[in-house]
Amino acid sequence: MNIPAGLKYTREHEWVKVDGKTVTVGITDYAQGELGDIVFVELPKPGAELKVGGAFGTIEAVKAVSDIFSPVTGKVLEANTALEDDPMVINRDPYGEGWMIKAEMANDSELNNLLSPEDYKNLIG
Amino acid sequence: MSYIPNTDDDRHRMLEKIGADKIDDLFCAIPENLRLKNPLNLPKSLSEMELMREIEGIAARNRGNLTIFAGGGTYDHFIPTAVEVISSRPEFVTAYTPYQAEVSQGTLQVIYEFQSHICRLTGMDVANASMYDGASAAAEAAMLSAAKTGRSKILISDTVSPLFRNVIRTYLSGQKIEIVELSQHEGTTDFDLLKKRIDGDTAGIILAQPNFFGMIEDVERGGEIAHASGAHLILAIDPIAAAVLKSPAECGADIVIGEGQPLGIPLNFGGSLLGFFAVKKELIRLLPGRLAARTDDDKGNTGFVLTLQTREQHIRREKATSNICTNQALSATMATIYLSLMGKQGLKRVALLSMDKAHRAADMIFANNKYRPYFKGAFIREFVVKTPVPARELIDRAIRQNSVLPGINLGRFYHDMDDALLVAFTEKRTDDEINALARVLNEI
C-alpha cells in the first residue's frame, strides 16, 4: 500500500499536497484499489467554490460511484482535464498524473484537521 | 374450486408453530376500527362457463368495429401478424430483469436492436431501452435537462400533447422545477413569446414535431432560441412522421422522446404504451433507465450487457437523475420486430400513405363551406376541423349512427376549442372509409 510521506490525508481517502496557499488533491492508492477500474470522473470547473467536507466531484468505477470531498475551503484553480479521456490514470498513478484539482485555500488552519501518513495508515489498517 | 393452496390443516399447523390462535391475531397491530369486519361485497363465485358467458355479455355491449379517425398520439396503424407471433414467444414474454447478462443474451440483444432502431429514426447518438410511455419520457427529459444544466425552469409550448403536459406537471411536482406553458399562436409555437420567456434559468424547452394539432413546427428555430440561452431543445416526435421529416438531430434536438405505440403496438383502448428516449452523447451519463450495449468477452465473443449502470438509482441512490431502472420490454420487442419488418422504405411508405390520405380527406371535408380548417399551415397526417356543432356532439352522433369515430374533441384539452375536431389518418384507412367520413360530417 503506497502512502507517500510529505502528503496529508482525509478520512474519505483523499490526499492533499500543500504548496503555500495552493493545494493539490487526488484520491489515495488504497481508494483506487477499492474502487477498481475507474471509468469516469466528474470534476469542477476553475473558479468553483470549495467547502471543507463538501463534495466537489464524482468518481465512477464499473459498479460503484463515490463523491470526492474537499479537504479545504477555497476556490478551484485548475482541474485535471486529462482524466476525462483517460480516467484509468488514477488507477495507474494516483499520486502523480492522477491528481484531480488544484485549489487556493481560504483558511490554512483547516490543514490541522487532516491526517498524517501514519494516521492514515492506521485508519485503513 | 378453491385456488388457495393451503388447507385448514396447513393453516392450523402454521398458526400453532408461531404461537397464534387464529389468523386475526396476525393483524393485531392494525387498530380494531380499521379492520374489515365483513367479507367483501361480491356476488357468489361462478363456474368457468358461467363466468365466460357473463364477461362475453358485458363485452358485447361495446360498440365494436368503429372506423378510427382518432389519433392524438396513438394511431390505428396496420400491424403485421408476425409482430404478435414472434413477440409472444415465451422467451420474450418474461418479467425477468436482464441484469445477469449470462442468462439474458436474447433479451439484451432485443433491447440493443431497439435502441439502434431509435437512434436511426432520430439521428441521435444513444437511446435507452424504452420508458413507460411518451408522456413519462417527456417528464424524464425535463428532469435530465434540469440536472445537466443546473437550471430549474422548463418551457413547454402548449402545442405539445396536453396528456404529456399533464404527466409532466404531476411527475415534476415535488422537484424544484418551474414549468411554464406557452400559449400557441395559430396552431404552432409562439416563438416571439418563447424568446421573451426564455432566460438564464431555463434548462430546456419542449416542442413537438408534428405538434398535437398535426402541424409542422419550425423546430430548428426553437433549437436556435434554446441554444442561444444555453438551454436544451427537447423534441417530442411521432415516430411514423419521423420517417419523412428532417431528423431531430439535424434540427438541433438535444433530447428526443416520443410515443412508440404506432410502431406495431395495438391501441388496446389506450395502453399499455411505449416511450422512447434518445440523446446526444454528452448527456449519456444522465440518461434515465436501462441501456444495453454490445461488447466482447475475454475470449473475443460478442455479447450484450446492461451498461453505465452507475447512472441508476440502485447504485447512485439520491444522486441518480431518475428513479426508473426498468423498461417496457415487451412493447419494445414488438416495436423492434415491426421496425425490422418494415425497414426504412416500409416505414416511409406508411408515413407517406398516411399523409396522402390525410390531405385527400382534408380536400374532401373542406370542399363545401360547412367545415373549415381550424388552422392554416402544413400538416402531416392529422389536422383540426372547425365544426358547426360542438365537436363532442358530432363525435357522439357519428359513433351511434355510423360506427365512425371521427376524431378527438379538442374542447377536452383547450378551453374555447369546443368546435375543434382533431382528425387523424393512417395507411389503414381505405378510400371508402374516407368517403364515408366526409359523408357523415356533411350529414350532421
Side-chain angles (χ1 to χ4, degrees):
Chain A
M1 189 58 57
N2 183 6
I3 306 174
L7 298 180
K8 292 186 175 296
Y9 296 88
T10 69
R11 292 179 180 282
E12 286 81 28
H13 313 285
E14 288 89 15
W15 57 262
V16 185
K17 185 174 157 203
V18 184
D19 181 9
K21 278 277 178 200
T22 307
V23 292
T24 306
V25 183
I27 63 164
T28 64
D29 186 29
Y30 172 79
Q32 71 77 20
E34 288 295 300
L35 282 164
D37 289 356
I38 291 163
V39 292
F40 180 69
V41 182
E42 194 175 23
L43 295 174
K45 291 193 167 39
E49 299 286 338
L50 296 171
K51 259 177 66 181
V52 66
F56 69 76
T58 50
I59 187 159
E60 197 171 304
V62 176
K63 286 226 162 175
V65 183
S66 89
D67 284 330
I68 321 162
F69 299 98
S70 183
V72 293
T73 303
K75 189 180 275 185
V76 177
L77 297 171
E78 197 185 341
N80 185 358
T81 49
L83 300 178
E84 288 169 18
D85 298 325
D86 187 12
M88 296 271 287
V89 170
I90 298 166
N91 295 112
R92 293 196 299 270
D93 187 10
Y95 298 107
E97 293 296 307
W99 66 275
M100 291 179 173
I101 56 165
K102 292 191 165 97
E104 185 180 15
M105 268 188 296
N107 181 359
D108 316 12
S109 67
E110 287 171 350
L111 295 173
N112 302 333
N113 303 326
L114 299 174
L115 306 175
S116 66
E118 293 70 37
D119 293 342
Y120 183 65
K121 190 174 177 198
N122 293 334
L123 175 77
I124 60 180
Chain B
M1 74 171 271
S2 165
Y3 289 92
I4 297 168
N6 46 28
T7 62
D8 282 345
D9 187 44
D10 292 336
R11 282 194 287 272
H12 181 73
R13 288 200 348 251
M14 286 191 275
L15 287 168
E16 202 169 41
K17 185 88 187 161
I18 57 174
D21 288 341
K22 51 189 186 303
I23 299 267
D24 272 353
D25 295 354
L26 304 180
F27 298 100
C28 63
I30 299 168
E32 193 72 39
N33 62 336
L34 296 176
R35 287 191 226 168
L36 190 66
K37 296 287 189 303
N38 305 311
L40 291 171
N41 182 18
L42 292 170
K44 72 177 190 45
S45 61
L46 298 173
S47 70
E48 187 178 354
M49 193 168 74
E50 289 167 310
L51 182 67
M52 294 289 262
R53 194 178 300 134
E54 172 106 9
I55 298 293
E56 280 163 3
I58 295 170
R61 286 159 50 199
N62 281 327
R63 298 190 62 94
N65 297 330
L66 294 180
T67 311
I68 298 172
F69 291 97
T74 54
Y75 301 90
D76 182 30
H77 283 286
F78 177 73
I79 301 171
T81 309
V83 173
E84 194 185 336
V85 173
I86 299 170
S87 66
S88 57
R89 289 184 58 103
E91 298 92 325
F92 289 129
V93 186
T94 171
Y96 183 71
T97 301
Y99 281 114
Q100 277 70 32
E102 55 276 37
V103 293
S104 309
Q105 283 301 294
T107 305
L108 289 165
Q109 184 171 354
V110 170
I111 294 175
Y112 180 81
E113 304 293 350
F114 171 77
Q115 291 169 181
S116 306
H117 277 304
I118 296 299
C119 286
R120 284 182 70 189
L121 198 59
T122 58
M124 303 302 276
D125 300 323
V126 58
N128 75 8
S130 72
M131 316 218 72
Y132 296 125
D133 57 15
S136 57
E140 289 284 349
M143 287 184 2
L144 188 163
S145 185
K148 179 71 182 179
T149 56
R151 298 173 176 188
S152 63
K153 193 187 292 181
I154 296 285
L155 303 184
I156 312 178
S157 171
D158 79 358
T159 59
V160 172
S161 166
L163 303 166
F164 281 28
R165 286 183 283 122
N166 287 345
V167 171
I168 291 168
R169 277 193 299 270
T170 307
Y171 212 107
L172 268 55
S173 63
Q175 301 280 341
K176 293 184 175 66
I177 299 173
E178 185 192 353
I179 301 162
V180 181
E181 299 185 40
L182 305 171
S183 314
Q184 49 93 10
H185 176 69
E186 293 179 0
T188 55
T189 299
D190 186 340
F191 287 107
D192 293 335
L193 183 61
L194 178 66
K195 261 192 179 137
K196 259 192 219 117
R197 298 301 299 272
I198 199 165
D199 58 17
D201 195 35
T202 306
I205 64 167
I206 307 181
L207 303 178
Q209 180 74 308
N211 70 24
F212 190 69
F213 305 128
M215 297 177 70
I216 305 272
E217 292 264 15
D218 186 357
V219 290
E220 281 168 87
R221 191 173 165 199
E224 284 159 18
I225 295 169
H227 296 153
S229 293
H232 292 129
L233 171 62
I234 300 166
L235 202 54
I237 63 162
D238 167 357
I240 299 289
V244 290
L245 289 170
K246 198 168 177 179
S247 84
E250 287 173 284
C251 297
D254 300 286
I255 306 173
V256 181
I257 50 100
E259 177 50 62
Q261 177 278 335
L263 305 171
I265 295 156
L267 284 163
N268 296 332
F269 299 99
S272 60
L273 301 171
L274 168 70
F276 56 85
F277 196 115
V279 294
K280 283 188 169 158
K281 195 166 179 203
E282 58 263 28
L283 300 177
I284 194 169
R285 290 190 174 269
L286 292 172
L287 189 70
R290 288 181 191 155
L291 186 60
R294 195 171 71 188
T295 185
D296 294 331
D297 70 6
D298 57 0
K299 296 183 186 66
N301 302 313
T302 295
F304 298 89
V305 292
L306 288 179
T307 193
L308 291 176
Q309 285 186 46
T310 46
R311 291 169 300 110
E312 298 185 37
Q313 62 158 10
H314 54 282
I315 294 180
R316 208 166 234 188
R317 313 255 176 237
E318 73 285 354
K319 277 196 145 43
T321 321
S322 166
N323 62 5
I324 284 194
C325 33
T326 184
N327 74 310
Q328 288 286 83
L330 191 60
S331 294
T333 302
M334 292 163 88
T336 307
I337 298 162
Y338 176 86
L339 287 165
S340 307
L341 289 166
M342 287 294 173
K344 196 172 170 179
Q345 293 310 322
L347 199 67
K348 205 174 206 164
R349 196 93 193 94
V350 170
L352 288 171
L353 279 167
S354 306
M355 197 167 149
D356 185 53
K357 289 171 190 247
H359 284 77
R360 219 173 48 78
D363 292 343
M364 285 173 73
I365 293 167
F366 301 134
N368 64 17
N369 284 334
K370 192 167 177 182
Y371 293 90
R372 291 205 319 277
Y374 207 98
F375 300 117
K376 290 184 192 65
F379 62 89
I380 298 225
R381 52 120 113 228
E382 201 164 7
F383 56 89
V384 186
V385 178
K386 196 169 172 58
T387 56
V389 296
R392 210 186 67 190
E393 218 173 285
L394 184 150
I395 293 168
D396 230 27
R397 276 160 63 179
I399 291 172
R400 281 175 202 289
Q401 294 167 13
N402 313 83
S403 291
V404 169
L405 175 57
I408 294 174
N409 162 28
L410 288 183
R412 277 174 58 193
F413 306 113
Y414 297 88
H415 72 93
D416 75 16
M417 284 184 85
D418 287 332
D419 59 346
L421 178 73
L422 180 65
V423 193
F425 295 81
T426 68
E427 80 285 15
K428 260 174 88 171
R429 298 287 69 87
T430 63
D431 288 357
D432 286 352
E433 288 170 338
I434 292 168
N435 295 341
L437 171 72
R439 204 172 48 244
V440 167
L441 292 181
N442 267 321
E443 285 166 3
I444 281 167

